[in-house]
Amino acid sequence: MTATNLAVASGPEIRGRSLWADARTRFFRNKAAVTSLVIFVLIVFACYVVPYLGLRAPDDLGNYESWGAPDLESGYLLGTDANGRDLFVRTLYGGQISLLVGFTATMVSLVIGVIWGATAGFIGGRVDGFMMRIVDILYSMPFIFFVILLMVFFGRNIILLFVAIGAVEWLTMARIVRGQVMSLRRQEFIEACLSLGLSRRRIILRHMIPNVLGPIAVYTTLTIPAVMLLEAFLSFLGLGVQPPMSSWGLLIKEGAEMMEEAPWLLIYPGLLFSLTLFSLNFLGDGLRDALDPKASKD
Amino acid sequence: MVRYAVHRLLVAIPTLVVIVTIAFFLIRIAPGGPFDLERPLHPKVMEHLERIYQLDRPLHEQYLSYLRNLLAGDLGPSFYFRDFTVSELILSGLPISVQVGASALLLALGLGGLLGVAAALRQNTRSDYAVMTVATLGVTVPNFVVAPVLTLIIGLQLQLLPVGGWGKPGNYVLPIIALCLPQIAAIARLTRASMIEVLSSNFVRTARAKGLRESVTITRHAIRAAILPVVSYMGPAVANIITGSVVVEQIFSIPGIGRYFVQGSLNRDYTLVMGVTVFYGALIILCNLIADLLYGVLDPKVRYD
């Protein structure tokens, strides 16, 4: 502390560090977070690039046996499924869908939920009452009918899946953010903002949301697996991804049914799914710690 | 606070009417009907069925008569489970779903909270990472994997607990475990994150500075504030879990009401879906109201005026 003060006093070339630069340094000092970042990038690369490097097609029935155990020599690294399709290739292609659904639907729910909750909690009173009753109403809607109707009006389209899932997943996020904001609203720094005449928009975006990042980051990392599993559920009902495309959720679901006869069908997609979520969890925690406005300055 | 609660209970009535209205038309606009089979019924038979269940009348008349019956507490007959009324179906399954769900939630709240606080107190140490890894496993391994694995290992190989059937205390254990694992994970992670933030706040420093014992600082001051996001999360989670889970009910053959939400929709059992929707809506409104009131009790900074 004293060293910095001296430096500021003596040297004109010392510049202030931006919050972002601080956050970056803090993030890269966190080993768990950096490792997770590397793993996550590798997984994304594997799913989006590797399948196009001359592997079999995901619907290639080949001439290998059904339910073949993993076998290096024949090139079926992770074995085959009921139709003799290469599980390795199918898992990678499935990852494309899962990552896409997980990322997009989570982003939709994150943006809507945070803004909705922060606005309701900050303004309070009637506006809050009205906004939160809408949340209650949406919670109660029969979800499957909602999805069926989307499919009827807009045809079978994977984008609809994101919309449908995102539309329900933001509700709890909104409630969590609102609860936190209601508690923050009475704190001194917000009073200071108000007395400085800052606009509501600015207070919410610049002062409220950064202070609720902790629960937001955690709930986001809880939303991603929920979204991916909801996708599997809808696809299972015939409302989501259609064969021959697949997703991690669907592969795991199929694998769970065959786990005594062909355990690899459950284990490998499950491992990749878990690994992805683990890395996202630690990544989320690392980001939260890095962006925490109250983190100790050192 | 009391005024706020009364106000919210009054607002619940129009909210429920909105829920009933939207759900009613949403369900009816969807294609397919309750009597659609692989081989279509004879038109005469269809006409007959529709007349018996009053599906031949204009939609708005059906809607008004549904509302009128609802006010009288009548949810109508189920279209799929013939000979049963929707109220009978819900009332017979509900106690079971509530027993299983509530036990799972209490267990999750206790264990998850404890793990979360413990991890926060030892932030970024090995025990923190260990707790969070276990907690994360709870969310990443889905229900439809946990449930069969549990049956396979504990039920079939070790023969410790019964696998199927219903009624004996032993039947409750595996479904409760399967239901509470993801909740433990979510609660532990939420508790940890907000506990870390609370521990660095001024009022905790003040409590420590005035010489309070650490245990009192944590339990009386820190946890009270840190539990807020968990309360928010629990509102909808309670409503969700005590109304049962399709997957868990199917695997352990539990006669609860979770299956009605999905099966009812797929069978186009209009009255059953409406019945569970109304019930679920009322529950959501109630749980979120309790959560909102708890904010005020736990956190002196939250005020309703």
Side-chain angles (χ1 to χ4, degrees):
Chain A
M1 212 38 207
T2 34
T4 335
N5 286 345
L6 281 176
V8 169
S10 61
E13 60 275 64
I14 295 291
R15 283 189 299 163
R17 293 193 304 186
S18 78
L19 283 172
W20 291 109
D22 266 354
R24 209 179 309 128
T25 340
R26 250 180 272 147
F27 180 81
F28 282 106
R29 224 180 285 150
N30 184 335
K31 269 186 217 139
V34 175
T35 318
S36 299
L37 183 65
V38 173
I39 293 176
F40 184 65
V41 169
L42 282 178
I43 291 172
V44 172
F45 176 81
C47 290
Y48 284 93
V49 179
V50 173
Y52 306 105
L53 301 178
L55 294 177
R56 286 179 198 86
D59 53 349
D60 181 0
L61 301 180
N63 42 19
Y64 199 65
E65 57 188 316
S66 301
W67 290 308
D71 180 16
L72 282 182
E73 270 172 48
S74 59
Y76 287 90
L77 290 179
L78 305 182
T80 58
D81 69 0
N83 296 322
R85 293 175 292 191
D86 187 340
L87 181 65
F88 179 63
V89 177
R90 275 171 66 74
T91 306
L92 294 185
Y93 273 100
Q96 294 180 7
I97 301 279
S98 283
L99 288 171
L100 197 65
V101 173
F103 184 76
T104 323
T106 303
M107 277 302 142
V108 171
S109 77
L110 182 68
V111 171
I112 303 179
V114 170
I115 292 178
W116 194 273
T119 309
F122 184 65
I123 298 178
R126 276 196 193 167
V127 176
D128 171 56
F130 183 70
M131 290 176 87
M132 285 301 123
R133 295 304 73 74
I134 292 181
V135 169
D136 284 350
I137 291 168
L138 287 176
Y139 264 126
S140 317
M141 285 301 113
F143 181 62
I144 293 177
F145 275 100
F146 177 61
V147 176
I148 293 173
L149 275 188
L150 279 180
M151 298 280 169
V152 171
F153 286 124
F154 301 102
R156 236 180 243 294
N157 186 336
I158 192 137
I159 295 172
L160 287 180
L161 209 59
F162 309 145
V163 176
I165 296 174
V168 289
E169 289 291 336
W170 66 271
L171 302 169
T172 301
M173 177 68 90
R175 284 207 49 95
I176 290 179
V177 172
R178 166 179 171 267
Q180 296 298 101
V181 166
M182 287 201 311
S183 156
L184 279 177
R185 185 167 58 159
R186 309 255 170 194
Q187 294 206 1
E188 294 83 353
F189 74 98
I190 297 297
E191 266 168 37
C193 290
L194 286 171
S195 59
L196 282 173
L198 292 189
S199 68
R200 277 177 180 172
R201 200 184 125 89
R202 199 175 156 84
I203 297 180
I204 291 174
L205 290 178
R206 296 295 296 270
H207 299 276
M208 283 293 188
I209 292 176
N211 277 289
V212 272
L213 272 183
I216 292 176
V218 171
Y219 196 70
T220 306
T221 52
L222 290 172
T223 305
I224 296 170
V227 162
M228 290 181 177
L229 294 175
L230 192 55
E231 176 272 316
F233 176 66
L234 290 178
S235 300
F236 188 69
L237 294 179
L239 300 171
V241 180
Q242 296 303 304
M245 280 313 279
S246 197
S247 67
W248 287 340
L250 266 181
L251 288 171
I252 293 172
K253 208 163 180 113
E254 288 165 16
E257 282 154 22
M258 295 296 299
M259 70 180 165
E260 281 181 273
E261 297 86 351
W264 57 90
L265 289 180
L266 171 61
I267 293 170
Y268 295 112
L271 271 181
L272 202 57
F273 181 70
S274 300
L275 191 63
T276 309
L277 295 174
F278 267 106
S279 59
L280 285 175
N281 267 338
F282 286 113
L283 204 58
D285 278 354
L287 279 178
R288 192 215 71 84
D289 290 344
L291 292 171
D292 187 356
K294 287 199 291 276
S296 57
K297 313 274 183 293
D298 44 1
Chain B
M1 194 90 129
V2 177
R3 263 189 62 189
Y4 179 77
V6 171
H7 172 77
R8 280 282 296 273
L9 284 174
L10 288 177
V11 175
I13 298 163
T15 313
L16 265 175
V17 173
V18 175
I19 291 172
V20 171
T21 310
I22 301 178
F24 186 90
F25 289 103
L26 195 74
I27 288 169
R28 291 312 180 84
I29 300 169
F35 308 117
D36 291 355
L37 303 169
E38 295 269 317
R39 268 179 54 196
L41 290 168
H42 191 277
K44 262 279 184 311
V45 179
M46 194 67 143
E47 210 176 281
H48 223 77
L49 277 170
E50 291 194 334
R51 199 165 53 241
I52 291 172
Y53 289 101
Q54 305 188 333
L55 290 174
D56 54 343
R57 289 161 53 200
L59 202 55
H60 65 273
E61 267 181 39
Q62 293 183 38
Y63 166 69
L64 289 176
S65 88
Y66 186 85
L67 268 189
R68 224 174 294 126
N69 290 339
L70 188 64
L71 276 181
D74 178 11
L75 294 172
S78 164
F79 286 5
Y80 184 81
F81 301 95
R82 312 277 159 80
D83 306 330
F84 288 98
T85 66
V86 170
S87 312
E88 280 169 356
L89 288 173
I90 294 182
L91 287 178
S92 73
L94 185 65
I96 297 165
S97 294
V98 171
Q99 278 168 16
V100 177
S103 331
L105 275 173
L106 285 179
L107 197 63
L109 201 57
L111 263 175
L114 211 64
L115 286 175
V117 172
L121 290 177
R122 295 175 182 75
Q123 195 196 352
N124 291 337
T125 62
R126 241 178 241 170
S127 40
D128 175 24
Y129 286 133
V131 167
M132 281 307 113
T133 304
V134 174
T136 308
L137 262 180
V139 237
T140 56
V141 186
N143 257 338
F144 52 80
V145 174
V146 173
V149 167
L150 281 176
T151 10
L152 196 66
I153 296 176
I154 299 181
L156 293 176
Q157 291 185 349
L158 302 177
Q159 306 262 343
L160 287 178
L161 289 164
V163 173
W166 195 247
K168 287 185 232 75
N171 296 127
Y172 283 76
V173 181
L174 292 183
I176 289 175
I177 296 178
L179 270 180
C180 80
L181 284 179
Q183 301 305 324
I184 291 181
I187 293 169
R189 304 213 58 218
L190 280 171
T191 311
R192 173 185 177 271
S194 83
M195 192 71 185
I196 286 174
E197 251 165 52
V198 168
L199 283 176
S200 68
S201 65
N202 295 337
F203 70 89
V204 170
R205 196 180 53 197
T206 309
R208 282 176 178 156
K210 73 178 183 186
L212 271 190
R213 262 184 296 136
E214 185 66 9
S215 58
V216 178
T217 313
I218 301 295
T219 49
R220 287 272 183 76
H221 297 276
I223 290 183
R224 257 180 86 159
I227 207 84
L228 228 59
V230 180
V231 172
S232 310
Y233 171 79
M234 288 300 275
V238 168
N240 200 356
I241 288 164
I242 65 176
T243 49
S245 141
V246 204
V247 178
V248 174
E249 281 183 12
Q250 254 169 17
I251 293 176
F252 296 107
S253 50
I254 306 172
I257 60 170
R259 59 213 159 115
Y260 296 149
F261 288 84
V262 178
Q263 273 179 14
S265 305
L266 296 178
N267 296 332
R268 300 291 189 281
D269 194 340
Y270 293 152
T271 42
L272 182 59
V273 177
M274 279 307 292
V276 289
T277 303
V278 172
F279 176 72
Y280 187 70
L283 203 58
I284 277 279
I285 292 174
L286 185 69
C287 289
N288 282 341
L289 170 60
I290 294 174
D292 284 352
L293 295 179
L294 273 178
Y295 294 156
V297 174
L298 291 168
D299 188 337
K301 290 195 290 290
V302 176
R303 232 165 282 152
Y304 299 105
D305 35 9

